[in-house]
Amino acid sequence: MIDYRSDTFTKPTQPMLEAMFRADVGDDVFGEDPTINKLESLAAEIFGMQAGLFCPSGTMTNQIAIKCHTQPGDEVVCDKLSHVYMYEGGGIAFNSGCQVKPIEGDRGKINAGQVNAAINPDDVHKPVTRLVSVENTANRGGGSCYNFTDLQKIKDVCLKNNLKYHLDGARIFNAIVEKKENPKDYGKIFDSISVCLSKGLGAPVGSLLLGSNDFIHKARRVRKVFGGGMRQAGYLAAAGIFALENNIDRLNTDHLHAKKIAEALLKKSFVGKIMPVETNIIIFEVTENYTAKSLAEIFKKHNILVIPISETQIRMVLHLGVTEKMVDETISVIETL
Ligand SMILES: *Cc1c(COP(=O)(O)O)cnc(C)c1O
């Protein structure tokens, strides 16, 4: 099977497994797992931030960040398609007692003017606007990337209005590699950054939350409350270190593969709109005699797995488990449809 359902389907490669097997471990709730400590400081250093926190999932890192930045009743500003709002089980309400001001962005990206307009006045009727959360790359935007200057403009609005600024960077390295950016620039403007190791970077489990020493101190308490305090999880952190040291630059290959497949799709009459392919995600509309579901079933007969994300849209995600040969095979199949 060639699996394009998500970049979460990656499995550890042999060298990653060997790194995991060799890991030196301890009880991380006591702060004594040397491999986790190393991963946390390595990631913090990459982004020029003070500290890091290893967590079981990106949902947890996002939810911890939101909990740390807010009080119950506060409002969180984010795109209406963002993961924190759409795909975390109502966690903003459940965990933090906050509500969301969803913004209609451009392919998952919001802008400074929209954020400015979303801020509530100091009025007892209104919730307190406390936090802005952006997603880069934006999953439901088809892996779209922000221009860094636009993120800086949002930062200026945050500073002026005393708002915290969180980055859901589940796929931040896809953006950084594609746009040839410096991670340290992100560290300078965000109060917190969440990074997934279990997506295109190829680790089996884990995400990192990054921020100041004070923020991570607080986040560590919240992680315990959320049940995310792990023990000898250095075996998992070793996979994360391996991923950060070996699997960032190769994300470019996934982006090239995605563009190649999108070109083949564009030639087919049953393919409607394709969102611009900026990174490793392809989202396209299915027309004519197919529904998203029926086309997904036809792909499956050819040993290709894709995911319908609405009645008419299919998503395909590239990752290190998809080789160039598999991409060529997929294109041959598309040509026969
Ligand atoms: C995958 C993802 C997350 C975190 O997901 P987990 O499955 O909980 O690790 C967060 N944000 C975005 C944009 C994602 O794609």
Side-chain angles (χ1 to χ4, degrees), residues 4 6-7 135 137-144 171 174 199 254-255 258-259 262 274-284 309 314-318:
Y4 294 103
S6 174
D7 42 8
E135 193 174 304
T137 67
N139 172 28
R140 282 300 299 257
S144 59
R171 296 188 180 83
N174 292 88
K199 297 259 163 86
D254 298 338
H255 302 175
K259 288 188 179 86
I274 302 192
M275 282 190 177
V277 177
E278 296 185 35
T279 52
N280 68 326
I281 299 177
I282 308 164
I283 294 180
F284 66 95
I309 56 166
I314 284 184
R315 189 185 77 163
M316 297 172 76
V317 187
L318 276 293

Side-chain angles (χ1 to χ4, degrees), residues 29-78:
V29 175
F30 285 74
E32 289 183 18
D33 189 301
T35 309
I36 293 182
N37 292 341
K38 185 179 164 193
L39 171 64
E40 290 174 346
S41 49
L42 171 66
E45 197 189 304
I46 289 173
F47 285 88
M49 294 184 103
Q50 286 177 345
L53 185 69
F54 183 56
C55 293
S57 73
T59 299
M60 189 179 280
T61 44
N62 281 332
Q63 291 298 319
I64 291 174
I66 293 163
K67 181 75 190 159
C68 289
H69 289 313
T70 61
Q71 291 297 318
D74 286 348
E75 203 158 66
V76 178
V77 176
C78 63

